[in-house]
Amino acid sequence: MTESQPWPYNALSEAQIDAVFDLMFATYGDRFVRKWAEAADPEFLRRTWAVALHRVPVQLGMERLSTYPHPPDLPEFIRLCAPDRVEPAHRQAMLDLPAAMNREHQRANLARLKGEMAKLDQARGGIAWAYAVRERVKASRAVSPAVAAMAEAAIAQFEGDQS
């Protein structure tokens, strides 16, 4: 591959890939140089990495290099760039349940919850869903504009009927 070829459009910029390799050299020194000494074409290596890292959060990988024991190859570096996986909130909540909860305890809690929800529905004329949507909107949680509008219309109608 000659240097006169244009830089790939679907790649990190030359400055960005140079920054990655410069940091690896600064971090690993001669071990980095020896790892890639056998590369037939250093320019091909730069371009390959630049294309592979185009949509990868490279800064995160660069920050993690100081904790990595040896110069990474491309797949290792991509793994270093991957954000930490966080369990979804519903799984975290499941993990927080008491270990001693048994079926009887679950049924009692469910019955109590259903009773409270029935009271709420009765008190609000069966539009608890609309108030729940309103609370989601107030909490800046994802709600489609159409659902939010329907909820507000239902609440307005319900509160207008109560006057």
Side-chain angles (χ1 to χ4, degrees):
M1 182 171 288
T2 64
E3 289 189 34
S4 63
Q5 290 183 348
W7 191 254
Y9 70 92
N10 60 337
L12 295 179
S13 71
E14 290 184 79
Q16 290 170 318
I17 198 63
D18 287 343
V20 170
F21 285 133
D22 288 348
L23 181 60
M24 283 194 208
F25 177 72
T27 303
Y28 302 107
D30 193 45
R31 290 185 296 161
F32 174 73
V33 173
R34 284 193 313 264
K35 181 169 185 116
W36 303 110
E38 301 295 317
D41 184 353
E43 184 62 19
F44 179 73
L45 181 74
R46 283 178 70 238
R47 288 171 182 265
T48 301
W49 277 60
V51 169
L53 297 174
H54 177 58
R55 297 201 185 271
V56 172
V58 174
Q59 188 62 39
L60 185 55
M62 292 173 72
E63 291 169 5
R64 292 176 173 172
L65 279 176
S66 64
T67 63
Y68 206 68
H70 59 83
D73 57 25
L74 181 56
E76 289 172 324
F77 188 72
I78 289 173
R79 282 192 298 275
L80 279 175
C81 295
D84 294 329
R85 187 172 188 282
V86 177
E87 286 291 329
H90 72 280
R91 289 199 183 263
Q92 290 177 10
M94 287 176 23
L95 297 175
D96 293 337
L97 290 175
M101 185 173 281
N102 58 34
R103 288 276 186 216
E104 191 174 305
H105 190 220
Q106 289 173 345
R107 285 187 186 112
N109 283 342
L110 185 58
R112 195 176 96 236
L113 181 61
K114 284 181 179 179
E116 293 300 316
M117 289 181 71
K119 288 180 196 174
L120 184 63
D121 276 346
Q122 194 173 37
R124 290 188 174 162
I127 63 162
W129 67 272
Y131 286 96
V133 169
R134 179 185 271 177
E135 292 303 316
R136 286 180 61 94
V137 170
K138 284 181 184 176
S140 299
R141 295 182 57 204
V143 175
S144 76
V147 171
M150 285 190 297
E152 288 303 319
I155 292 169
Q157 182 178 359
F158 171 71
E159 290 176 350
D161 291 345
Q162 299 297 312
S163 306

